[in-house]
Amino acid sequence: MEVIICENSKKAAKLTAKMIANAINEMPNLNLGLATGATMEPVYAELVQMNCSGKVDFAGVRTFNLDEYVGLGPNNKNSYRYYMDSNLFDKINILKSSTHLPDGLALDENKECERYDQLIKKLGGIDLQLLGIGNDGHIGFNEPMSSFASKTRVKVLTPETYKQNSIYFNPPESMPKRAYTMGVGTILNSKQIIMLITGKKKANIAAQAIEGPLTSMVTGSAIQLHQNVTVILDEDASSNLKMKDYYNFAFKNNPKWAKYQ
Ligand code: F6R
């Protein structure tokens, strides 16, 4: 695992976008796993800018989102399909037919989970997965005690996640209590992972996921099992890390990061 600490959240989002753009430039038909949430908004804004100024081309890229609320369709402003269309897909030159999320309106939930995992497999697996982390340590919507071997399935959200996300719903109680999510196993099958964590209120959970014991109580800690992970944090989110000096030293002294400094 490599840990990069940026001065502020803007720089962290910029670096994340640059790494994604570089991966696309190296592999124009990249299979890109995406996340939603407030942390990702500046990353998508940056990718939109880079696409508009010709620095990255999405024409050959396929995307797979981590999750979607059960019961919400593409026209619902709180659905993750709506979030992705409005923050990214409608603003870049990607083929809409190449953008995939679980279908929140699917009639058969089990079949939908099976379809999504099969689709990822059939299209060659995920090359690069972007992750955020929830206040309760979740990645995707893999709430505490999700198996590290889990595949796509429907999870009931924790009260903490409900509190974190219901602020976006009007009324807040209209937020669905269940969501489709790629499993921890699905996420670990991707070839590369970038996790972005920003803000003071994530400092504690960031330290648990990065340096704490491997435990399904903090599903984000599962990234410790992956061979190619970069965690990007801002100063605020990094404040509880014990090995901060080493991460900064490694970033400065590993030639592979020279182009990002
Ligand atoms: C959503 C997702 C979640 C979020 C997490 C953080 O697709 O994958 O795990 O990354 O809940 O959300 P924000 O960024 O809103 O704090």
Side-chain angles (χ1 to χ4, degrees):
M1 185 193 301
E2 288 174 290
V3 180
I4 301 179
I5 300 160
C6 300
E7 228 173 287
N8 54 49
S9 60
K10 202 171 168 197
K11 287 193 175 159
K14 240 183 161 157
L15 175 61
T16 305
K18 207 165 163 192
M19 284 185 71
I20 294 171
N22 281 0
I24 296 171
N25 291 337
E26 273 167 27
M27 189 179 175
N29 62 345
L30 190 86
N31 281 346
L32 178 61
L34 294 173
T36 58
T39 312
M40 299 305 156
E41 285 176 22
V43 177
Y44 297 146
E46 188 64 27
L47 285 172
V48 168
Q49 268 199 8
M50 293 178 92
N51 184 238
C52 289
S53 57
K55 290 190 184 125
V56 62
D57 180 3
F58 284 88
V61 174
R62 281 188 295 231
T63 65
F64 302 88
N65 264 80
L66 286 164
D67 39 22
E68 178 60 283
Y69 290 110
V70 171
L72 300 196
N75 296 328
N76 187 306
K77 290 198 167 154
N78 288 114
S79 72
Y80 285 163
R81 164 55 78 179
Y82 190 96
Y83 170 107
M84 287 312 305
D85 285 349
S86 52
N87 283 291
L88 187 67
F89 302 150
D90 287 344
K91 297 175 173 169
I92 58 172
N93 71 328
I94 198 163
L95 279 175
K96 249 324 166 45
S97 55
S98 298
T99 66
H100 306 284
L101 288 94
D103 176 3
L105 297 179
L107 294 177
D108 186 323
E109 294 176 6
N110 291 335
K111 272 197 189 142
E112 178 54 12
C113 295
E114 180 68 19
R115 179 196 72 82
Y116 202 60
D117 274 338
Q118 286 307 321
L119 181 75
I120 294 171
K121 224 187 211 163
K122 198 177 90 189
L123 297 179
I126 293 171
D127 297 303
L128 171 58
Q129 177 66 55
L130 178 62
L131 294 178
I133 192 164
N135 296 339
D136 66 359
H138 69 213
I139 47 175
F141 273 137
N142 291 289
E143 300 291 29
M145 299 313 294
S146 291
S147 159
F148 282 3
S150 50
K151 301 294 174 214
T152 300
R153 69 226 183 285
V154 170
K155 287 294 287 182
V156 175
L157 305 174
T158 59
E160 197 167 2
T161 299
Y162 198 73
K163 197 171 148 205
Q164 179 189 319
N165 288 4
S166 61
I167 51 165
Y168 302 113
F169 287 76
N170 187 15
E173 309 78 61
S174 63
M175 175 176 151
K177 297 191 176 62
R178 298 185 313 134
Y180 290 97
T181 180
M182 276 185 205
V184 181
T186 324
I187 293 168
L188 291 178
N189 272 340
S190 54
K191 296 181 189 85
Q192 186 187 350
I193 291 174
I194 299 177
M195 179 183 267
L196 173 64
I197 317 177
T198 56
K200 188 88 196 151
K201 67 173 197 271
K202 296 273 176 76
N204 194 24
I205 203 67
Q208 288 183 57
I210 296 166
E211 296 177 332
L214 191 63
T215 168
S216 58
M217 283 298 283
V218 179
T219 59
S221 69
I223 60 168
Q224 295 174 30
L225 291 170
H226 197 279
Q227 290 185 338
N228 189 355
V229 181
T230 308
V231 186
I232 299 172
L233 306 102
D234 64 357
E235 273 294 341
D236 282 345
S238 75
S239 48
N240 288 2
L241 295 176
K242 292 193 189 86
M243 300 285 289
K244 239 174 125 167
D245 291 347
Y246 172 59
Y247 307 139
N248 288 332
F249 186 79
F251 183 61
K252 281 199 188 86
N253 290 292
N254 187 336
K256 84 175 205 193
W257 296 119
K259 61 178 182 246
Y260 295 104
Q261 295 193 41

